[in-house]
Amino acid sequence: MPLPVPLQPDQRRQLGAFLRSRRARLTPAEVGLPQTARRRTPGLRREELALLAGISATWYTYLEQGREIRASEQVLTALAEALRLDRPERAHLLQLAGHATADEPEEREPLTPEAAAVPLLLQPNPAYIIGGNYDVLSHNRAAEALFPRLIDSDTKRAANFLRWVFLEPAARDVVVDWETEARALLARLRTQSGRHPTDPRYTRLIDELNEHSPEARTWWHQYEVQARHSGHKRLRHPQRGPVEYSYTAFHLAEQREQTLVVYVEREHGREREHGRERGRERGRGQRG
């Protein structure tokens, strides 16, 4: 089994912060331990977690304090089990501890012309392609209309969906359930940034969000992580007001961290499904 990559001091601090945040959310009753006297802080004690993971309490304390020690994948797996981490959290823990190779940083993500043309072909459905750090690499007119001021032709900086959600005032009107969506988006950035601990594109974006958004500053230190996925959200359409959309995320084959996101109004999706069902019923009637 390969040795973990040596960690920089900031990476060790991040690892400790993540472990503390996950330890604090568990109670003794949840993991089958007896409830003891009143606790000064929430969650499990360090020695309780160490007991559950089968490791030394002193060694675990050093790990959480960010001291210069290396954790094997076997120990990290035991900690993940004890902390009841889900799949994205386990992957994030391993990456923070140096068990995943970070990609070399690059200033611009390449996007092939063929891939860049896909959102245009999906008009009138809003669609865009984002990079690993949520830079908008390609989009269509419907996306530009649905997310006002996301694409700003007056700036030389790449449009960035996270920056728009947290720092563009219009986003709080467009995204109906703003807090829920913003927290989830920040958790996905946390997951992505763990894969690129030395990439300046991520560190610059995180610093900017923490500096200019009090919500991002508060939530970032709660250490939530989440994987990218499809789902649905309510957005305020410029002409029709609040509309519920289903969105689907497709990862590009050549660049797995680049994601095509397509929005479809949920009512339209249900109407199409009803139409298909009626067609099947007619077909069954004709055969009968």
Side-chain angles (χ1 to χ4, degrees):
M1 186 176 295
L3 290 174
V5 176
L7 302 182
Q8 299 301 313
D10 183 62
Q11 292 172 275
R12 294 198 297 272
R13 285 192 293 270
Q14 289 188 50
L15 174 60
F18 180 65
L19 290 169
R20 281 193 300 275
S21 71
R22 290 307 178 264
R23 178 169 60 83
R25 73 180 184 180
L26 287 177
T27 65
E30 287 177 309
V31 296
L33 293 176
Q35 184 69 46
T36 57
R38 185 177 178 182
R39 296 165 182 254
R40 292 178 295 176
T41 57
L44 296 176
R45 295 190 174 106
R46 286 170 175 163
E47 57 268 24
E48 290 172 334
L49 176 57
L51 176 66
L52 291 170
I55 60 178
S56 159
T58 300
W59 187 90
Y60 174 75
T61 299
Y62 291 164
L63 183 65
E64 199 174 277
Q65 289 174 343
R67 298 202 190 185
E68 197 169 351
I69 58 176
R70 294 188 183 185
S72 69
E73 191 168 337
Q74 181 179 2
V75 167
L76 293 168
T77 299
L79 283 171
E81 291 286 345
L83 290 168
R84 301 189 174 185
L85 302 186
D86 61 22
R87 185 175 176 181
E89 289 172 328
R90 286 169 182 255
H92 189 66
L93 175 63
L94 290 170
Q95 288 154 2
L96 284 177
H99 286 272
T101 303
D103 294 343
E104 290 297 319
E106 56 182 25
E107 280 302 309
R108 286 174 171 261
E109 287 195 45
L111 184 68
T112 65
E114 295 81 4
V118 173
L120 307 179
L121 300 175
L122 294 169
Q123 183 76 18
N125 293 314
Y128 51 77
I129 295 175
I130 50 174
N133 68 333
Y134 286 85
D135 275 355
V136 180
L137 307 177
S138 177
H139 68 284
N140 61 12
R141 292 192 307 276
E144 192 167 353
L146 187 58
F147 302 106
R149 299 183 60 81
L150 171 61
I151 311 300
D152 190 349
S153 58
D154 294 333
T155 179
K156 294 182 180 179
R157 268 200 317 189
N160 183 279
F161 204 79
L162 260 150
R163 190 184 298 119
W164 179 82
V165 166
F166 279 94
L167 305 184
E168 171 52 54
R172 296 175 187 251
D173 182 58
V174 172
V175 183
V176 177
D177 305 300
W178 183 86
E179 181 172 336
T180 300
E181 299 295 342
R183 288 187 73 127
L185 195 60
L186 195 68
R188 293 195 283 273
L189 175 65
R190 169 72 79 174
T191 302
Q192 287 293 108
S193 66
R195 297 171 181 151
H196 306 271
T198 62
D199 190 330
R201 295 176 306 160
Y202 289 87
T203 55
R204 283 197 299 264
L205 176 60
I206 292 164
D207 289 345
E208 183 179 3
L209 295 177
N210 276 273
E211 180 179 356
H212 298 292
S213 169
E215 294 92 348
R217 189 161 53 248
T218 299
W219 299 337
W220 187 256
H221 295 292
Q222 293 175 7
Y223 232 109
E224 297 175 357
V225 296
Q226 192 179 111
R228 285 183 178 177
H229 55 78
S230 302
H232 59 87
K233 65 179 68 173
R234 294 190 299 161
L235 300 170
R236 201 176 307 278
H237 190 276
Q239 280 82 45
R240 303 200 309 279
V243 176
E244 188 166 4
Y245 288 88
S246 296
Y247 64 92
T248 306
F250 303 91
H251 298 293
L252 275 62
E254 291 81 10
Q255 297 284 346
R256 294 292 298 168
E257 292 197 347
Q258 292 178 357
T259 307
L260 168 68
V261 184
V262 186
Y263 290 80
V264 178
E265 294 184 27
R266 296 198 78 192
E267 285 298 325
H268 290 177
R270 283 193 283 264
E271 288 170 5
R272 284 194 294 271
E273 180 58 33
H274 292 330
R276 286 193 291 267
E277 182 61 31
R278 287 193 296 270
R280 287 192 290 267
E281 289 175 358
R282 286 194 296 269
R284 287 194 291 267
Q286 290 169 358
R287 288 194 298 271

